[in-house]
Amino acid sequence: MGLISMPDSILYWKGCMSRLRTKSIADSTMELFRRMGVEFATLGEEEGCCGSVLLRTGQPEAAKKAAESVIGKISSSGFKEVVTACPGCFRTMSSEYPLIAGQIPFKVRHISQFLIERSSLLKDRFRRMDVKACYHDPCHLGRHMGVYEEPRELIRMVPGVELVEMKDNRSKALCCGSGGGVRSAYPELSREVAKSVIGGELPGGVKLLVTACPFCNYNFKDACSGQIRVMDLPELLISAWRG
Amino acid sequence: MGSDDWLALKRDEFKRWMEDERRRTGLSRAVAAYTSAKANALSRLPELEEMRREVRKIKERSIRQMDELVKIAMESVREVKGEAYLARDAEEAREIVSELTGSGKLVVKSKSLTGDEVGINEALEERGNRVYETDLGEFIIQLRKEKPTHIINPSIHVPREEVAKTFSELLGRPVGPEITSLVGIARDYLREKFCNADVGITGANVVSAKTGTIFIVENEGNARFVSNAPPKHICLTGIEKIVPNLSDAFKLLQVLPPYATGVFMSAYVSMITGPSKTADIEKTIVYGAHGPKELHLVLLDNGRRRMADDDAFREALYCIRCGGCMYECPVYRVIGGSFGNNYFGGIGLIWSAFTTGEEKVAAAVDACTKCGRCKEVCPLEIDTPRMVERLKQRLVKKGFVQPKHGEIMASINEKGNPFGEDERADRPKG
Ligand code: SF4
């Protein structure tokens, strides 16, 4: 997709994970936009790195460079509104860019915030899905950015989904174990943490784990796919969309 | 970067922890017991919300005037006929305590992280002293020649069957794995040591500068014995433990037990202001009535001043060592005592870095996901994840880079993504 500068349109920022690993999260997100009639564009292969990984692994100078480059790219594309389904990119851009690279001339929001604002477009759009589900609060989205309710409200919009809570949720939610560069340094540890979260936190009968972060999604799938079905928020909404 | 030893050792240690089902079970039982006890205590103590905020302010103030408080505390202790010392580093602390102890002595100890930090037991044993840990958990660890796994409950990873084995070896006869009888064995064995010891060594939870009062919080009653039965009491503690006065100390004491073990108040809080004394015969003061004749307070710097001077890490000194953030940490729950070095969990990484050396925790730092849960559960809301991020930055500058992180960094530089993928090459296809 090319760079189409349109004032009413949003820039969908995929983030490296959805761009290259959990591609179905990016595909579902874009499909959602299309079905909702939301005009959007992406930076395609020009997107690059938001710098989150660099900040977490002790490379502030490189992160600053990444931030400046991203700010430059987005500013010159003319978009005033950026939406992402990656909480790492979301936190880094909206709360850390201003600290390391100065004010940003655009607004950044997580997909759940964006969708809730347009919930009228989602009303009665979903078919029934009879399943007991749990939502996992991503650290970057929850504790670090204070977004707890929007994803839950969206999940509840799907009829038949019985949303129950993990033992520890919202600000007390347990990390999936893959953040902060741990997954690349000690993959086995990340998997063990994910397993212990699933093993100790889910109420009985839960068959679906809804994530709202490509990193959590990837790690839980990798560690626990035998035990539970894992879907990211846009994936859930697309799979429940009435044809 | 030179050798990868810093990494290899820690990797092995993590692996051993992850694969040790018994340790994992012990740990998860402890976590479950702790979290439910704490939740119960906190729900019944709504006033703690206000109190913990006050304690944060007390600590902020105390650390700001730490040097001054050290002086005041030392003067106050001397005024009540105790002795006070300031040890700049671990070596000085070992020297002072060894000098005070002498050689060929029987020494009893209550649990002290500061003691572990400077390696006091080893130093005293080298001089031909016999040293007994008297906190049950520490006693078990000492007999098993293991390292502690938690700052409040050092032996949480050792199940009762293992304790029975260890005690059987100690007594030279078979011992059953019933917990009550195991506790009884430790009690009988150590009782004689308390009474015959020449020196008792404790740490402190708080020190009130104005009055020179040492506070020791515990549940077993062993610290009370250690600080009371032998003729000489040496208290070794960090300079960050000093608060201006008694009311400040009492506030801290109310916050500590619920967060540490989920109780309203610990069974024993000993307040010690000077050595034991009496003036019952002709109003003449004699030191060493029923308690110790000598009291020595050894205050330890060992990196604490450096922490206080450093805007990026000062907050770590506010830690009251409740240990809550360790039990609440998703990573600690999996790798327990290998997540740190002497001090554990995220906050432990910072403490270890400043007191025992950055290189010793360089690899463990990369096990922290910076998820922020520790900050959320900390009574003082200490921003540990931010400090860990900063510590990581320093370590990277010194060359402690995970090979995988190095690759990611290079890939981001060259290809704009962390996976080493050539996205632009895909363009014709897309
Ligand atoms: S950092 Fe906070 S929660 Fe952790 S041990 Fe210190 S005071 Fe307790």
Side-chain angles (χ1 to χ4, degrees), chain B residues 197-395:
Chain B
D198 302 294
V199 179
I201 300 179
T202 69
N205 297 89
V206 202
V207 175
S208 146
K210 181 126 188 209
T211 55
T213 307
I214 295 160
F215 288 77
I216 308 169
V217 183
E218 53 152 346
N219 283 307
E220 292 182 13
N222 63 309
R224 194 157 265 214
F225 254 133
V226 169
S227 63
N228 200 50
K232 196 184 274 187
H233 173 200
I234 303 171
C235 171
L236 170 66
T237 196
I239 50 177
E240 87 287 1
K241 293 276 171 54
I242 311 171
V243 297
N245 55 48
L246 286 174
S247 1
D248 295 327
F250 280 123
K251 282 185 188 134
L252 199 149
L253 285 177
Q254 290 173 73
V255 173
L256 183 58
Y259 279 92
T261 51
V263 294
F264 281 10
M265 184 41 72
S266 304
Y268 304 104
V269 177
S270 302
M271 290 174 61
I272 299 164
T273 315
S276 150
K277 58 180 180 284
T278 178
D280 278 2
I281 303 176
E282 293 185 1
K283 266 289 174 223
T284 305
I285 297 190
V286 174
Y287 288 92
H290 299 285
K293 189 173 177 170
E294 293 174 33
L295 168 73
H296 303 272
L297 174 65
V298 183
L299 293 168
L300 178 68
D301 176 355
N302 201 32
R304 287 160 177 80
R305 271 197 179 127
R306 231 172 1 103
M307 247 192 266
D309 287 341
D310 196 328
D311 287 338
F313 297 99
R314 182 176 310 122
E315 220 188 337
L317 291 168
Y318 305 162
C319 174
I320 60 170
R321 304 260 168 85
C322 70
C325 58
M326 283 142 243
Y327 281 139
E328 300 276 9
C329 167
V331 173
Y332 178 84
R333 287 176 180 186
V334 172
I335 53 170
S338 59
F339 191 21
N341 175 44
N342 188 42
Y343 296 103
F344 308 111
I347 188 76
L349 296 173
I350 310 299
W351 268 89
S352 306
F354 275 84
T355 58
T356 54
E358 288 178 347
E359 63 291 343
K360 294 228 176 80
V361 284
V365 166
D366 292 314
C368 172
T369 67
K370 292 95 171 169
C371 76
R373 194 163 192 264
C374 50
K375 181 185 175 205
E376 189 66 31
V377 298
C378 172
L380 278 80
E381 293 174 38
I382 295 172
D383 197 346
T384 297
R386 200 162 53 152
M387 288 190 282
V388 175
E389 233 167 65
R390 287 171 179 155
L391 176 60
K392 179 70 215 170
Q393 292 173 9
R394 288 193 187 184
L395 286 164

Side-chain angles (χ1 to χ4, degrees), chain B residues 3 10 137 141 151 161 295 315 323 375 404:
Chain B
S3 136
K10 213 48 181 179
I141 293 296
I151 64 167
E161 295 77 12
L295 168 73
E315 220 188 337
K375 181 185 175 205
K404 192 77 199 167

